[in-house]
Amino acid sequence: MARVYGIDPGTSTLRIYQKGAGIIYNQKNMMAVLDGKKIIATGDEAWEMEGRTPANIEVVSPIRSGVLAQVKNMLAMLNIIFDKLGEEYGRMNGQEFIVASPSYATEVEKKALVDLIAECDIRPKRIRVVDSPLAAALGAGVNLRECFGAMVIDIGADTTEIAVLSLGGTVVSRMLKFGGNRLDESIIGAVRKYYNFAIGRKTAEQIKIKLGDAEHPEEDNTVALKVFGRDVVSGLPKSIAVDSLFVHLAIKEHLDKIAEVVFNMLEHIPPEMSADIMESGIYLTGGVSGIKNLDKVLAEMTGLKVYKCDNGSETVAMGLGKIAEDPDYDFLAEKYSTLQVEDFR
Ligand SMILES: Nc1ncnc2c1ncn2[C@@H]1O[C@H](COP(=O)(O)OP(=O)(O)OP(=O)(O)O)[C@@H](O)[C@H]1O
Ligand SMILES: [Mg+2]
């Protein structure tokens, strides 16, 4: 029997699901490139190098804003990853792939993604594309066969996709061109402005994950974290304490923007569907769904039930896994994929 793999090539993380085995790869979608040519590290190992590399080594992300930006690099990296995974989980040659693509990707962008997988050394037999909000909903536990209306909010690294789904299709969707990376940038900016202190991307991400709160923390209920960086005035390494109120104020504007778009979409859907969504609720997913109280704030604002996924960053890959495992869901990949490449070898 053919092996089936699901691939979710996110801006920050690349996830691969293998039918029967679960998620077999979940690492940063990054590589370290020497002299612009040779890949010397991939995934989490490359991310470890970020901010510490000499001038001839660059840490790059081949996917930008959810869309393939560096084809050659991504191809070379996938070949390395597939090779390693093949040794551990069985050869991946000539098998089937289901790839998640943002719903807003153009046909050209989707085709580029399919062509990329098709060109890998493992020469897949069949490649199908699934809109990521559909995969996210499945991964979040929505029964797409019977659901007449549910909203999915997927807040990733560089994109936020908000979609209203019904009976296995997307009714309306909106995409915001920002996600967790923008929150990190705002934290870097605020720390620099208020403390005259420079921190790196990784530190900002840690601050966001540990202290980020969508709700205004009470003055006497804030949590603080000691962070390392460089004093901009003296130019010397130093540490400072940052607290959750400071972080809330730094990221609030972006979370408010997401909430505003959600509200606006709910106002514009047909009345019959409003009732269905009231019943089914909102599914909050993507890595940033882990921000404390984000589900609570959205629930208070909309008056709807908001379900937060346990591992928001893995939801799309888990949804692809459901399609791979359960023939009942095959129709999602067949019917709603815009591209199919079969036996093109
Ligand atoms: N517990 C957490 N709290 C807040 N943010 C988090 C948490 N865990 C991960 N993140 C953030 O989530 C983002 C990554 O989310 P995800 O893995 O869903 O993105 P992606 O699928 O790679 O990107 P995209 O969907 O935009 O292409 C990063 O910005 C990361 O810092
Ligand atoms: Mg994603």
Side-chain angles (χ1 to χ4, degrees):
M1 236 185 34
R3 287 210 185 92
V4 187
Y5 298 91
I7 302 191
D8 175 19
T11 308
S12 95
T13 314
L14 171 66
R15 290 144 293 230
I16 303 176
Y17 185 103
Q18 180 177 321
K19 183 179 176 183
I23 293 181
I24 58 171
Y25 186 88
N26 186 355
Q27 292 199 23
K28 287 280 180 188
N29 198 354
M30 281 177 186
M31 68 194 88
V33 185
L34 175 70
D35 294 332
K37 288 189 210 108
K38 191 173 170 0
I39 297 179
I40 54 163
T42 59
D44 293 346
E45 197 188 337
W47 175 234
E48 274 303 306
M49 295 179 173
E50 164 71 21
R52 303 186 170 106
T53 52
N56 59 341
I57 298 176
E58 199 190 352
V59 177
V60 295
S61 312
I63 304 271
R64 301 235 177 85
S65 298
V67 168
L68 186 59
Q70 296 194 358
V71 180
K72 259 172 112 180
N73 274 336
M74 186 75 191
L75 181 66
M77 182 168 80
L78 282 179
N79 280 333
I80 294 172
I81 293 169
F82 289 160
D83 221 38
K84 277 192 203 151
L85 289 174
E87 282 171 23
E88 206 173 330
Y89 298 96
R91 275 160 52 93
M92 295 172 75
N93 298 51
Q95 308 296 336
E96 288 190 21
F97 285 78
I98 307 171
V99 195
S101 169
S103 53
Y104 53 84
T106 63
E107 292 303 301
V108 174
E109 288 163 346
K110 286 184 186 178
K111 183 165 177 343
L113 193 59
V114 171
D115 287 348
L116 170 83
I117 311 280
E119 276 171 36
C120 287
D121 294 343
I122 52 163
R123 292 288 170 200
K125 186 173 79 184
R126 186 179 185 214
I127 304 166
R128 289 177 288 162
V129 180
V130 177
D131 277 356
S132 39
L134 290 174
L138 259 190
V142 179
N143 181 346
L144 281 179
R145 277 186 168 280
E146 287 167 18
C147 174
F148 284 98
M151 181 180 254
V152 176
I153 307 173
D154 179 348
I155 316 175
D158 261 354
T159 63
T160 298
E161 260 186 294
I162 309 168
V164 175
L165 311 172
S166 178
L167 292 172
T170 307
V171 181
V172 253
S173 70
R174 286 281 304 275
M175 198 273 288
L176 301 174
K177 279 202 161 190
F178 69 84
N181 285 344
R182 183 72 62 82
L183 306 187
D184 301 346
E185 283 159 22
S186 288
I187 292 171
I188 292 173
V191 169
R192 196 174 179 102
K193 186 169 173 197
Y194 292 102
Y195 295 104
N196 265 325
F197 194 70
I199 54 167
R201 277 165 66 189
K202 277 191 198 162
T203 306
E205 185 183 38
Q206 281 310 310
I207 294 174
K208 170 187 69 184
I209 291 174
K210 294 203 170 122
L211 301 182
D213 195 333
E215 207 174 39
H216 193 291
E218 299 295 329
E219 293 281 352
D220 52 358
N221 208 9
T222 57
V223 191
L225 186 72
K226 185 177 173 188
V227 297
F228 294 89
R230 183 168 47 83
D231 186 298
V232 175
V233 180
S234 71
L236 296 173
K238 210 179 106 177
S239 71
I240 57 164
V242 178
D243 70 47
S244 47
L245 178 58
F246 179 84
V247 179
H248 166 77
L249 295 173
I251 63 176
K252 182 179 181 315
E253 158 196 6
H254 308 302
L255 301 179
D256 283 352
K257 178 74 201 165
I258 294 172
E260 185 190 314
V261 174
V262 168
F263 204 76
N264 193 272
M265 279 177 78
L266 289 170
E267 276 182 336
H268 288 92
I269 51 174
E272 286 81 3
M273 278 199 79
S274 304
D276 298 322
I277 290 179
M278 278 196 76
E279 168 118 15
S280 316
I282 297 177
Y283 291 80
L284 184 59
T285 181
V288 179
S289 65
I291 292 269
K292 194 173 161 193
N293 289 322
L294 186 54
D295 49 343
K296 186 175 162 202
V297 167
L298 287 171
E300 279 170 5
M301 189 195 78
T302 59
L304 299 176
K305 288 174 278 183
V306 177
Y307 303 99
K308 179 162 136 182
C309 299
D310 279 349
N311 285 314
S313 168
E314 293 181 356
T315 316
V316 170
M318 292 307 286
L320 295 177
K322 276 199 178 159
I323 299 172
E325 305 284 352
D326 187 346
D328 254 13
Y329 286 121
D330 225 31
F331 79 103
L332 288 174
E334 306 291 358
K335 194 170 166 192
Y336 293 98
S337 68
T338 41
L339 288 161
Q340 282 197 40
V341 180
E342 296 207 37
D343 295 322
F344 45 79
R345 259 191 303 164

mmCIF file of all heavy atoms in Angstrom, residues 140-143 146-152 164-167 272-284 304-307:
data_model
loop_
_atom_site.group_PDB
_atom_site.id
_atom_site.type_symbol
_atom_site.label_atom_id
_atom_site.label_comp_id
_atom_site.label_asym_id
_atom_site.label_seq_id
_atom_site.Cartn_x
_atom_site.Cartn_y
_atom_site.Cartn_z
ATOM 1 N N ALA A 140 -8.701 20.484 14.230
ATOM 2 C CA ALA A 140 -9.255 21.025 15.481
ATOM 3 C C ALA A 140 -10.462 20.207 15.949
ATOM 4 O O ALA A 140 -11.023 20.474 17.005
ATOM 5 C CB ALA A 140 -9.672 22.481 15.276
ATOM 6 N N GLY A 141 -10.860 19.239 15.124
ATOM 7 C CA GLY A 141 -11.959 18.358 15.553
ATOM 8 C C GLY A 141 -13.315 18.707 14.979
ATOM 9 O O GLY A 141 -14.327 18.149 15.398
ATOM 10 N N VAL A 142 -13.376 19.643 14.008
ATOM 11 C CA VAL A 142 -14.667 19.974 13.397
ATOM 12 C C VAL A 142 -15.064 18.833 12.460
ATOM 13 O O VAL A 142 -14.232 18.362 11.680
ATOM 14 C CB VAL A 142 -14.565 21.292 12.578
ATOM 15 C CG1 VAL A 142 -15.894 21.631 11.917
ATOM 16 C CG2 VAL A 142 -14.100 22.438 13.457
ATOM 17 N N ASN A 143 -16.319 18.413 12.544
ATOM 18 C CA ASN A 143 -16.801 17.389 11.628
ATOM 19 C C ASN A 143 -17.249 18.080 10.343
ATOM 20 O O ASN A 143 -18.382 18.539 10.222
ATOM 21 C CB ASN A 143 -17.964 16.626 12.269
ATOM 22 C CG ASN A 143 -18.485 15.535 11.346
ATOM 23 O OD1 ASN A 143 -18.162 15.511 10.159
ATOM 24 N ND2 ASN A 143 -19.270 14.637 11.901
ATOM 25 N N GLU A 146 -20.600 17.324 8.446
ATOM 26 C CA GLU A 146 -21.912 17.694 8.988
ATOM 27 C C GLU A 146 -22.019 19.144 9.434
ATOM 28 O O GLU A 146 -23.095 19.610 9.764
ATOM 29 C CB GLU A 146 -22.240 16.779 10.172
ATOM 30 C CG GLU A 146 -22.596 15.388 9.693
ATOM 31 C CD GLU A 146 -22.616 14.368 10.803
ATOM 32 O OE1 GLU A 146 -22.688 14.790 11.967
ATOM 33 O OE2 GLU A 146 -22.528 13.169 10.504
ATOM 34 N N CYS A 147 -20.883 19.840 9.447
ATOM 35 C CA CYS A 147 -20.897 21.178 10.007
ATOM 36 C C CYS A 147 -21.451 22.202 9.014
ATOM 37 O O CYS A 147 -20.957 22.328 7.900
ATOM 38 C CB CYS A 147 -19.469 21.533 10.403
ATOM 39 S SG CYS A 147 -19.311 23.202 10.943
ATOM 40 N N PHE A 148 -22.473 22.943 9.421
ATOM 41 C CA PHE A 148 -23.091 23.935 8.543
ATOM 42 C C PHE A 148 -22.499 25.323 8.720
ATOM 43 O O PHE A 148 -22.898 26.255 8.067
ATOM 44 C CB PHE A 148 -24.605 24.003 8.799
ATOM 45 C CG PHE A 148 -25.339 22.843 8.209
ATOM 46 C CD1 PHE A 148 -25.679 21.756 8.988
ATOM 47 C CD2 PHE A 148 -25.678 22.848 6.863
ATOM 48 C CE1 PHE A 148 -26.356 20.684 8.438
ATOM 49 C CE2 PHE A 148 -26.355 21.775 6.306
ATOM 50 C CZ PHE A 148 -26.690 20.691 7.086
ATOM 51 N N GLY A 149 -21.602 25.462 9.632
ATOM 52 C CA GLY A 149 -20.993 26.780 9.818
ATOM 53 C C GLY A 149 -20.093 26.813 11.027
ATOM 54 O O GLY A 149 -20.539 26.578 12.145
ATOM 55 N N ALA A 150 -18.820 27.035 10.790
ATOM 56 C CA ALA A 150 -17.878 27.201 11.910
ATOM 57 C C ALA A 150 -16.817 28.180 11.457
ATOM 58 O O ALA A 150 -16.548 28.313 10.254
ATOM 59 C CB ALA A 150 -17.233 25.859 12.268
ATOM 60 N N MET A 151 -16.254 28.884 12.401
ATOM 61 C CA MET A 151 -15.195 29.828 12.045
ATOM 62 C C MET A 151 -13.866 29.286 12.551
ATOM 63 O O MET A 151 -13.790 28.768 13.671
ATOM 64 C CB MET A 151 -15.488 31.186 12.675
ATOM 65 C CG MET A 151 -14.437 32.219 12.318
ATOM 66 S SD MET A 151 -14.802 33.814 13.056
ATOM 67 C CE MET A 151 -15.350 34.730 11.636
ATOM 68 N N VAL A 152 -12.840 29.388 11.709
ATOM 69 C CA VAL A 152 -11.500 28.968 12.124
ATOM 70 C C VAL A 152 -10.587 30.180 12.040
ATOM 71 O O VAL A 152 -10.589 30.893 11.038
ATOM 72 C CB VAL A 152 -10.940 27.860 11.190
ATOM 73 C CG1 VAL A 152 -9.518 27.513 11.579
ATOM 74 C CG2 VAL A 152 -11.802 26.625 11.259
ATOM 75 N N VAL A 164 -14.725 31.121 7.352
ATOM 76 C CA VAL A 164 -16.000 30.541 7.748
ATOM 77 C C VAL A 164 -16.231 29.349 6.826
ATOM 78 O O VAL A 164 -16.187 29.483 5.603
ATOM 79 C CB VAL A 164 -17.145 31.567 7.621
ATOM 80 C CG1 VAL A 164 -18.482 30.914 7.916
ATOM 81 C CG2 VAL A 164 -16.910 32.733 8.570
ATOM 82 N N LEU A 165 -16.402 28.183 7.428
ATOM 83 C CA LEU A 165 -16.513 26.953 6.650
ATOM 84 C C LEU A 165 -17.904 26.363 6.789
ATOM 85 O O LEU A 165 -18.565 26.520 7.821
ATOM 86 C CB LEU A 165 -15.508 25.919 7.163
ATOM 87 C CG LEU A 165 -14.068 26.410 7.355
ATOM 88 C CD1 LEU A 165 -13.243 25.358 8.047
ATOM 89 C CD2 LEU A 165 -13.469 26.753 6.010
ATOM 90 N N SER A 166 -18.327 25.688 5.726
ATOM 91 C CA SER A 166 -19.597 24.976 5.801
ATOM 92 C C SER A 166 -19.543 23.763 4.884
ATOM 93 O O SER A 166 -19.103 23.885 3.728
ATOM 94 C CB SER A 166 -20.735 25.906 5.373
ATOM 95 O OG SER A 166 -21.951 25.196 5.405
ATOM 96 N N LEU A 167 -19.956 22.630 5.377
ATOM 97 C CA LEU A 167 -20.017 21.394 4.603
ATOM 98 C C LEU A 167 -18.773 21.143 3.745
ATOM 99 O O LEU A 167 -18.870 20.880 2.541
ATOM 100 C CB LEU A 167 -21.275 21.398 3.733
ATOM 101 C CG LEU A 167 -22.577 21.310 4.533
ATOM 102 C CD1 LEU A 167 -23.778 21.522 3.641
ATOM 103 C CD2 LEU A 167 -22.683 19.958 5.239
ATOM 104 N N GLU A 272 -28.680 32.977 8.368
ATOM 105 C CA GLU A 272 -28.834 31.548 8.687
ATOM 106 C C GLU A 272 -27.528 30.961 9.193
ATOM 107 O O GLU A 272 -27.505 30.151 10.114
ATOM 108 C CB GLU A 272 -29.275 30.731 7.443
ATOM 109 C CG GLU A 272 -30.710 30.925 7.046
ATOM 110 C CD GLU A 272 -30.900 32.204 6.245
ATOM 111 O OE1 GLU A 272 -29.889 32.885 5.967
ATOM 112 O OE2 GLU A 272 -32.059 32.530 5.932
ATOM 113 N N MET A 273 -26.430 31.401 8.573
ATOM 114 C CA MET A 273 -25.142 30.866 8.996
ATOM 115 C C MET A 273 -24.750 31.373 10.376
ATOM 116 O O MET A 273 -24.045 30.693 11.122
ATOM 117 C CB MET A 273 -24.056 31.228 7.992
ATOM 118 C CG MET A 273 -24.042 30.304 6.818
ATOM 119 S SD MET A 273 -22.481 30.395 5.979
ATOM 120 C CE MET A 273 -21.471 29.394 7.035
ATOM 121 N N SER A 274 -25.204 32.577 10.721
ATOM 122 C CA SER A 274 -24.878 33.127 12.051
ATOM 123 C C SER A 274 -25.354 32.163 13.126
ATOM 124 O O SER A 274 -24.652 31.896 14.108
ATOM 125 C CB SER A 274 -25.563 34.475 12.279
ATOM 126 O OG SER A 274 -25.232 35.352 11.273
ATOM 127 N N ALA A 275 -26.556 31.620 12.891
ATOM 128 C CA ALA A 275 -27.109 30.690 13.884
ATOM 129 C C ALA A 275 -26.222 29.451 13.991
ATOM 130 O O ALA A 275 -25.963 28.953 15.089
ATOM 131 C CB ALA A 275 -28.524 30.297 13.479
ATOM 132 N N ASP A 276 -25.748 28.963 12.824
ATOM 133 C CA ASP A 276 -24.881 27.773 12.834
ATOM 134 C C ASP A 276 -23.576 28.053 13.564
ATOM 135 O O ASP A 276 -23.069 27.217 14.310
ATOM 136 C CB ASP A 276 -24.585 27.312 11.400
ATOM 137 C CG ASP A 276 -25.853 26.909 10.673
ATOM 138 O OD1 ASP A 276 -26.732 26.315 11.317
ATOM 139 O OD2 ASP A 276 -25.978 27.212 9.478
ATOM 140 N N ILE A 277 -23.025 29.239 13.312
ATOM 141 C CA ILE A 277 -21.752 29.570 13.968
ATOM 142 C C ILE A 277 -21.953 29.744 15.474
ATOM 143 O O ILE A 277 -21.108 29.347 16.274
ATOM 144 C CB ILE A 277 -21.110 30.824 13.335
ATOM 145 C CG1 ILE A 277 -20.640 30.455 11.927
ATOM 146 C CG2 ILE A 277 -19.932 31.337 14.162
ATOM 147 C CD1 ILE A 277 -20.017 31.549 11.152
ATOM 148 N N MET A 278 -23.112 30.286 15.838
ATOM 149 C CA MET A 278 -23.407 30.417 17.281
ATOM 150 C C MET A 278 -23.398 29.048 17.934
ATOM 151 O O MET A 278 -22.956 28.865 19.054
ATOM 152 C CB MET A 278 -24.764 31.082 17.488
ATOM 153 C CG MET A 278 -24.673 32.579 17.375
ATOM 154 S SD MET A 278 -26.109 33.361 18.046
ATOM 155 C CE MET A 278 -25.827 33.216 19.792
ATOM 156 N N GLU A 279 -23.884 28.082 17.181
ATOM 157 C CA GLU A 279 -23.940 26.713 17.690
ATOM 158 C C GLU A 279 -22.551 26.062 17.720
ATOM 159 O O GLU A 279 -22.143 25.479 18.701
ATOM 160 C CB GLU A 279 -24.897 25.916 16.792
ATOM 161 C CG GLU A 279 -24.864 24.432 16.994
ATOM 162 C CD GLU A 279 -26.216 23.923 17.459
ATOM 163 O OE1 GLU A 279 -27.196 24.657 17.350
ATOM 164 O OE2 GLU A 279 -26.237 22.760 17.927
ATOM 165 N N SER A 280 -21.824 26.198 16.588
ATOM 166 C CA SER A 280 -20.517 25.509 16.489
ATOM 167 C C SER A 280 -19.391 26.265 17.170
ATOM 168 O O SER A 280 -18.458 25.656 17.683
ATOM 169 C CB SER A 280 -20.112 25.308 15.029
ATOM 170 O OG SER A 280 -21.174 24.870 14.278
ATOM 171 N N GLY A 281 -19.412 27.591 17.080
ATOM 172 C CA GLY A 281 -18.378 28.389 17.723
ATOM 173 C C GLY A 281 -17.173 28.660 16.839
ATOM 174 O O GLY A 281 -17.170 28.402 15.642
ATOM 175 N N ILE A 282 -16.156 29.195 17.499
ATOM 176 C CA ILE A 282 -14.937 29.607 16.802
ATOM 177 C C ILE A 282 -13.792 28.701 17.253
ATOM 178 O O ILE A 282 -13.640 28.437 18.445
ATOM 179 C CB ILE A 282 -14.585 31.077 17.162
ATOM 180 C CG1 ILE A 282 -15.693 32.019 16.682
ATOM 181 C CG2 ILE A 282 -13.245 31.483 16.574
ATOM 182 C CD1 ILE A 282 -15.467 33.486 17.044
ATOM 183 N N TYR A 283 -12.988 28.232 16.284
ATOM 184 C CA TYR A 283 -11.833 27.392 16.605
ATOM 185 C C TYR A 283 -10.569 28.223 16.421
ATOM 186 O O TYR A 283 -10.318 28.722 15.324
ATOM 187 C CB TYR A 283 -11.825 26.144 15.720
ATOM 188 C CG TYR A 283 -12.961 25.215 16.079
ATOM 189 C CD1 TYR A 283 -14.256 25.460 15.616
ATOM 190 C CD2 TYR A 283 -12.759 24.147 16.926
ATOM 191 C CE1 TYR A 283 -15.308 24.645 15.982
ATOM 192 C CE2 TYR A 283 -13.806 23.318 17.296
ATOM 193 C CZ TYR A 283 -15.078 23.576 16.823
ATOM 194 O OH TYR A 283 -16.113 22.770 17.193
ATOM 195 N N LEU A 284 -9.841 28.386 17.500
ATOM 196 C CA LEU A 284 -8.656 29.230 17.491
ATOM 197 C C LEU A 284 -7.421 28.340 17.401
ATOM 198 O O LEU A 284 -7.213 27.469 18.257
ATOM 199 C CB LEU A 284 -8.643 30.047 18.795
ATOM 200 C CG LEU A 284 -7.549 31.077 18.974
ATOM 201 C CD1 LEU A 284 -7.578 32.119 17.862
ATOM 202 C CD2 LEU A 284 -7.690 31.753 20.337
ATOM 203 N N LEU A 304 -19.488 34.318 21.455
ATOM 204 C CA LEU A 304 -19.509 32.937 20.952
ATOM 205 C C LEU A 304 -18.568 32.060 21.772
ATOM 206 O O LEU A 304 -17.667 32.557 22.451
ATOM 207 C CB LEU A 304 -19.055 32.908 19.486
ATOM 208 C CG LEU A 304 -19.915 33.697 18.497
ATOM 209 C CD1 LEU A 304 -19.294 33.644 17.110
ATOM 210 C CD2 LEU A 304 -21.322 33.137 18.440
ATOM 211 N N LYS A 305 -18.766 30.745 21.621
ATOM 212 C CA LYS A 305 -17.831 29.815 22.262
ATOM 213 C C LYS A 305 -16.540 29.831 21.454
ATOM 214 O O LYS A 305 -16.584 29.774 20.221
ATOM 215 C CB LYS A 305 -18.394 28.386 22.234
ATOM 216 C CG LYS A 305 -19.550 28.152 23.184
ATOM 217 C CD LYS A 305 -20.124 26.770 22.970
ATOM 218 C CE LYS A 305 -21.084 26.728 21.800
ATOM 219 N NZ LYS A 305 -21.753 25.492 21.514
ATOM 220 N N VAL A 306 -15.414 29.913 22.130
ATOM 221 C CA VAL A 306 -14.136 29.873 21.413
ATOM 222 C C VAL A 306 -13.339 28.679 21.932
ATOM 223 O O VAL A 306 -13.098 28.557 23.132
ATOM 224 C CB VAL A 306 -13.337 31.186 21.619
ATOM 225 C CG1 VAL A 306 -11.976 31.102 20.931
ATOM 226 C CG2 VAL A 306 -14.118 32.380 21.084
ATOM 227 N N TYR A 307 -12.986 27.785 21.005
ATOM 228 C CA TYR A 307 -12.208 26.600 21.391
ATOM 229 C C TYR A 307 -10.756 26.809 21.010
ATOM 230 O O TYR A 307 -10.461 27.108 19.849
ATOM 231 C CB TYR A 307 -12.735 25.350 20.680
ATOM 232 C CG TYR A 307 -14.185 25.088 20.948
ATOM 233 C CD1 TYR A 307 -15.159 25.471 20.036
ATOM 234 C CD2 TYR A 307 -14.578 24.479 22.133
ATOM 235 C CE1 TYR A 307 -16.504 25.240 20.289
ATOM 236 C CE2 TYR A 307 -15.923 24.240 22.391
ATOM 237 C CZ TYR A 307 -16.874 24.624 21.465
ATOM 238 O OH TYR A 307 -18.193 24.398 21.710
#
